[in-house]
Amino acid sequence: MPYSQNYDVLIIGSGGAGLSLALKLADHSMRIAVLSKFALTAGSTYYAQGGISAVFGVDDSIESHIEDTLDAGAGLCDPDIVRLTVTHGKSSIDWLREQGVVFTEEQTASGEIKLHLNKEGGHSHRRIVHTADATGKAVSLSLIERAQEHTNIDLFEHHNVVELITDSKEGDKRILGAYVLDSKKQAVRTITARVVVLATGGASKAYLYSTNPQSSTGDGIALAWRAGCRVSNMEFMQFHPTCLYHPHAHSFLISEAVRGEGGKLILPDGSSFMQHFDPREELAPRDIVARAIDHEMKKRGIDCVYLDISHKPEQFIREHFPTIYQQCLEFDIDITKQPIPVVPAAHYTCGGVLTDSYARTDIANLYAIGEVACTGLHGANRMASNSLLECLVFAERASEDILQKLPGISPPPLIPDWDESQVSDSDEEVVVSHNWEELRRFMWDYVGIVRTDKRLSRAMNRVELLKKEIAEYYGNFRVTSDLLELRNLVIVAELIIRCAQQRKESRGLHYTLDYPETDDSKAAQNTVLTPWPTDRR
């Protein structure tokens, strides 16, 4: 393989957003590269359990889905983006079925076969299309299989982007490609492209406890920030209310669909508590449920609460939640007979790289789709199962814009190779692991579900110290995948804290004891950060 390569489109990320875009472009006579930091299945899409929200029920409507999304977003959703996304729900599901995704169906009393629809928090109707409780796996495997069949798509596993390459022509910055670490060969190659798309997912690994896979380190957000793109609403980090609590269980999510099918949150003594926090009880939006659980745990000094679905018939549980059932059995928890110990955990990044309705960023020919982007869909709190829908809709929107513009985009110039002449191999890898642990711990303690000005200030002080230490390390040693993730994660942590410090109110996922009320005296405002030249190092 050549040390340098050139493509028409470089897609960074192999989840639902990135692969959907690649497939939508692949039939148009262009060369496409898709990079995956680890294996193709290592992203968040593969692990998504719940499903994809779309209006199919006869008693449901587009307007109802819009209203529910706006309500969950706590005044910060862009109504035009919400309508755009929701109205493409059915066509997105139809496209996935064309790619081979098989969704769970049911037979009606009249004998008709139709999609089975779940109900999840924040939704007023059943509208969650799913494949049992492993929807993301079904979507991911189908898209990977289709992408592997296309001769126009090159798939690269274990390739981690070091830095985006840009230049300024007549005052306007444009993307040229990226320097990419081949983790297997431990070599940095240059990949140039006329268009680059960030589809790298979110940043929940900034926190000690997360439902996300190891890949969710905010790489695309940090890359775009250093390149000069604005980011928005990073204070709105969503904590999923129900992550399995067990010393040997790492990042295993208990799907919101369990509550949608009647699962009750209970205390160790068996009493319920959600009725004291919201009339919707277990089906309240995630921020409300997560704060309620956090409140009860701190108030009572308990390690977890419990989610109980055991009152449902055993066959129903095993048919609807086969993955959760089997996973819990491995930890000697039979969910047909026992409640599931659960705790909140960092789950979804509602903010990200600021984009328009065609997924365009501030840099010409650089796009961002999926969780890495801040489109205006989620506002201050993402509603359940709107995320995979967003991936599909904005992959389609980006493809439309790229197909229109690509003929007029000139090929990138010759780019110099990555220079490692002034660095050496590290003899202190322990620094990376220690810094990673410290970062995730203080983010959990100080910038978690409940915040204060003092906690945020403490977190920022620690971020500044870590940034200097990591920058010195980065400047002296050859890059590794772990070092790249840590460098990106400390930037994302700083962005989360800066956004949180600017919001002098509680809204959606951002709750602070210093400003516990929502400020209704003025129109709700997004938090937008613009990088200075010193931020681009």
Side-chain angles (χ1 to χ4, degrees):
M1 182 181 293
Y3 198 72
S4 299
Q5 290 179 282
N6 181 61
Y7 287 88
D8 294 306
V9 179
L10 170 62
I11 299 172
I12 305 170
S14 63
L19 288 177
S20 293
L21 176 59
L23 290 170
K24 290 174 183 293
L25 296 175
D27 293 329
H28 295 273
S29 301
M30 62 181 69
R31 295 191 65 218
I32 302 162
V34 178
L35 307 184
S36 182
K37 186 165 59 171
F38 302 119
L40 291 173
T41 56
S44 293
T45 296
Y46 184 85
Y47 295 94
Q49 294 178 1
I52 307 168
S53 57
V55 174
F56 280 90
V58 293
D59 62 336
D60 199 2
S61 68
I62 295 294
E63 296 304 322
S64 176
H65 192 174
I66 291 171
E67 183 179 345
D68 290 345
T69 301
L70 293 174
D71 181 61
L76 281 182
C77 298
D78 182 328
D80 293 334
I81 294 295
V82 173
R83 181 171 295 278
L84 167 70
T85 307
V86 169
T87 54
H88 283 80
K90 184 178 183 301
S91 61
S92 297
I93 297 299
D94 290 342
W95 182 81
L96 282 178
R97 297 175 90 173
E98 291 172 4
Q99 309 312 306
V101 181
V102 178
F103 293 107
T104 299
E105 297 178 329
E106 64 179 348
Q107 186 172 2
T108 65
S110 62
E112 178 189 2
I113 301 297
K114 64 176 186 177
L115 290 169
H116 179 269
L117 304 175
N118 278 336
K119 185 177 182 182
E120 296 181 346
H123 292 273
S124 58
H125 295 79
R126 286 184 172 270
R127 62 168 73 100
I128 313 303
V129 180
H130 63 102
T131 304
D133 60 349
T135 309
K137 182 178 180 180
V139 170
S140 181
L141 292 179
S142 292
L143 295 181
I144 290 170
E145 183 178 353
R146 292 293 173 268
Q148 289 172 334
E149 295 170 352
H150 269 282
T151 57
N152 289 347
I153 301 176
D154 290 342
L155 302 171
F156 297 98
E157 294 184 303
H158 304 285
H159 279 64
N160 196 349
V161 174
V162 181
E163 208 72 273
L164 297 177
I165 304 170
T166 63
D167 78 349
S168 296
K169 186 177 182 181
E170 297 178 359
D172 294 325
K173 181 173 284 191
R174 63 166 181 159
I175 195 75
L176 301 178
Y179 289 116
V180 180
L181 172 67
D182 181 338
S183 300
K184 292 292 188 181
K185 296 183 178 180
Q186 282 301 299
V188 177
R189 63 164 44 95
T190 306
I191 299 181
T192 57
R194 292 193 284 169
V195 167
V196 175
V197 183
L198 299 171
T200 53
S204 289
K205 280 297 176 178
Y207 289 91
L208 186 61
Y209 302 112
S210 169
T211 64
N212 286 193
Q214 292 295 331
S215 58
S216 300
T217 52
D219 302 322
I221 297 170
L223 289 167
W225 176 256
R226 288 198 299 267
C229 292
R230 291 172 298 164
V231 301
S232 181
N233 290 355
M234 291 296 294
E235 70 270 39
F236 299 121
M237 297 294 294
Q238 185 177 75
F239 290 79
H240 196 288
T242 54
C243 184
L244 177 63
Y245 178 74
H246 190 279
H248 302 301
H250 299 289
S251 305
F252 186 73
L253 175 70
I254 304 299
S255 170
E256 188 137 354
V258 174
R259 283 178 283 133
E261 293 295 343
K264 297 290 291 183
L265 287 165
I266 58 174
L267 298 170
D269 64 4
S271 61
S272 59
F273 58 89
M274 276 308 303
Q275 69 273 16
H276 303 307
F277 294 90
D278 194 280
R280 292 165 290 188
E281 300 184 9
E282 279 73 14
L283 291 179
R286 289 176 176 175
D287 60 323
I288 295 172
V289 181
R291 277 200 302 274
I293 294 173
D294 182 72
H295 173 84
E296 292 295 332
M297 288 171 57
K298 289 176 178 174
K299 173 184 175 182
R300 301 172 188 277
I302 55 180
D303 293 327
C304 66
V305 298
Y306 295 85
L307 180 58
D308 191 9
I309 191 73
S310 63
H311 53 276
K312 289 284 190 176
E314 179 175 344
Q315 183 178 354
F316 174 90
I317 295 172
R318 296 179 68 164
E319 287 180 354
H320 280 72
F321 308 111
T323 306
I324 297 173
Y325 173 76
Q326 289 296 334
Q327 184 69 47
C328 287
L329 272 185
E330 293 184 13
F331 301 111
D332 296 321
I333 303 167
D334 184 348
I335 68 173
T336 67
K337 300 180 176 64
Q338 302 166 258
I340 309 165
V342 294
V343 292
H347 182 60
Y348 191 87
T349 309
C350 288
V353 182
L354 196 61
T355 65
D356 65 11
S357 64
Y358 283 98
R360 295 174 291 214
T361 72
D362 292 330
I363 296 175
N365 311 324
L366 177 65
Y367 297 75
I369 55 176
E371 193 176 352
V372 69
C374 184
T375 64
L377 173 64
H378 306 304
N381 183 23
R382 175 181 73 96
M383 192 167 67
S385 292
N386 271 355
S387 52
L388 285 177
L389 176 60
E390 182 185 40
C391 289
L392 299 166
V393 171
F394 281 89
E396 173 67 22
R397 295 286 287 183
S399 71
E400 293 173 5
D401 200 61
I402 291 169
L403 289 172
Q404 179 184 353
K405 289 186 173 181
L406 194 65
I409 301 174
S410 58
L414 185 65
I415 303 297
D417 289 335
W418 180 255
D419 183 7
E420 289 188 325
S421 62
Q422 304 300 314
V423 298
S424 61
D425 291 325
S426 171
D427 57 358
E428 296 180 304
E429 285 293 329
V430 69
V431 173
V432 175
S433 61
H434 282 189
N435 284 352
W436 180 289
E437 185 176 340
E438 180 184 350
L439 174 67
R440 296 179 67 199
R441 169 64 69 179
F442 72 66
M443 286 296 290
W444 181 262
D445 290 342
Y446 298 143
V447 201
I449 297 172
V450 177
R451 302 161 179 174
T452 66
D453 285 348
K454 183 178 289 186
R455 292 173 189 172
L456 294 175
S457 179
R458 287 173 176 168
M460 184 60 81
N461 290 337
R462 284 158 175 78
V463 159
E464 292 296 341
L465 291 173
L466 276 182
K467 276 182 66 180
K468 292 177 183 177
E469 191 169 315
I470 294 166
E472 180 182 358
Y473 191 96
Y474 178 81
N476 290 325
F477 299 112
R478 287 190 176 88
V479 295
T480 65
S481 189
D482 287 346
L483 175 57
L484 293 177
E485 288 185 326
L486 177 62
R487 181 178 182 237
N488 292 332
L489 209 55
V490 75
I491 289 175
V492 170
E494 180 186 20
L495 296 175
I496 294 170
I497 298 166
R498 285 175 59 179
C499 285
Q501 288 178 322
Q502 288 191 23
R503 186 165 293 282
K504 304 300 184 183
E505 63 168 347
S506 290
R507 184 183 295 274
L509 298 166
H510 175 72
Y511 184 80
T512 170
L513 295 176
D514 292 307
Y515 309 95
E517 303 299 324
T518 300
D519 184 1
D520 292 323
S521 64
K522 56 184 179 181
Q525 298 290 321
N526 293 309
T527 308
V528 180
L529 301 179
T530 302
W532 292 87
T534 53
D535 292 314
R536 300 172 190 177
R537 293 175 295 185

